[in-house]
Amino acid sequence: MKNLTFLDLRLDKKHLTNIVEAGGLRDKVEVARLAYLKSNKKKDAVAFSQAVFAWGRGDRVYGKLSKEKWHTHVHQWLQKVPKLSEREAIEQGIELSGIGVSFASKHLRLLYPDRFATLDSVIDDRLGYSRNPAGYLRFLSDLKAFKDKYRLQYDIGDLEEAIFKAIKEERNLMKIASRI
């Protein structure tokens, strides 16, 4: 049993492997992702985006968006992502009216899990990354260093998901311990 450390969060390598292998992309999002990557059409970009909001429990955020503007903008943004740097990708995602780093990074992570991760309040609250482009880039850099340090063969997005789940488990254990 080998312990891995991401900042001050300790992870058992076997447990990390189990989390990653059990997780993966959710079926509905994965179907929408593959359809968009195959077609590159606006209707499929919109379907993918809707699946991301549903997966990330962002119905309230999605409900506030101007749909016509959003549908055009999300399609244009996602078309450009393969050629953008990580900084450009997150900055252009944030420019989309109504979403911040959390949902911009969810779109990026779910479309290209080999390059991107999600930075939301769970990660931010526990590990202290700011939900802005600089914080996001620092988080990606730390994930890449973590992957390289331990020679992990997982996508950046899968490692982030494992860290997210480990933090949630840690929170639950702390709640249980506080009741005792």
Side-chain angles (χ1 to χ4, degrees):
M1 175 169 32
K2 183 175 182 179
N3 285 321
L4 312 176
T5 306
F6 184 81
L7 301 180
D8 69 340
L9 183 68
R10 288 202 164 91
L11 302 156
D12 172 88
K13 188 170 184 177
K14 186 175 181 180
H15 187 60
L16 179 125
T17 299
N18 290 340
I19 290 173
V20 170
E21 290 176 0
L25 300 175
R26 303 299 167 258
D27 292 340
K28 195 170 188 177
V29 178
E30 181 64 0
V31 168
R33 171 185 177 267
L34 293 174
Y36 175 67
L37 290 173
K38 183 178 180 182
S39 75
N40 202 23
K41 292 183 179 175
K42 181 178 174 180
K43 72 176 181 68
D44 292 320
V46 170
F48 169 74
S49 180
Q50 290 169 332
V52 170
F53 280 108
W55 173 82
R57 297 183 181 131
D59 296 331
R60 189 173 48 95
V61 174
Y62 184 73
K64 292 180 181 179
L65 297 173
S66 164
K67 300 305 180 278
E68 189 172 320
K69 183 178 176 183
W70 171 254
H71 294 170
T72 298
H73 202 148
V74 75
H75 177 54
Q76 292 170 349
W77 171 50
L78 294 177
Q79 281 184 312
K80 293 188 270 182
V81 168
K83 296 178 183 175
L84 298 175
S85 69
E86 283 85 0
R87 174 179 294 282
E88 292 167 328
I90 195 67
E91 286 176 346
Q92 289 185 26
I94 292 168
E95 289 173 10
L96 302 173
S97 61
I99 69 167
V101 167
S102 181
F103 274 97
S105 67
K106 283 177 172 80
H107 280 77
L108 293 170
R109 180 263 188 263
L110 290 166
L111 191 57
Y112 297 107
D114 56 322
R115 287 183 64 196
F116 298 103
T118 295
L119 177 56
D120 65 7
S121 62
V122 172
I123 302 282
D124 172 20
D125 292 347
R126 173 60 176 81
L127 300 175
Y129 292 99
S130 299
R131 279 182 280 161
N132 59 36
Y136 183 71
L137 294 172
R138 193 176 119 233
F139 181 47
L140 284 181
S141 176
D142 288 348
L143 282 169
K144 290 174 189 175
F146 176 70
K147 179 179 177 170
D148 292 345
K149 178 179 179 179
Y150 295 108
R151 296 184 178 133
L152 300 169
Q153 299 301 311
Y154 304 112
D155 287 337
I156 293 296
D158 291 336
L159 292 174
E160 169 270 316
E161 183 175 4
I163 289 167
F164 174 91
K165 288 179 178 178
I167 292 169
K168 296 286 267 188
E169 288 174 11
E170 181 183 75
R171 279 184 180 176
N172 290 337
L173 290 173
M174 290 171 71
K175 283 180 186 176
I176 292 168
S178 71
R179 293 181 195 151
I180 297 174

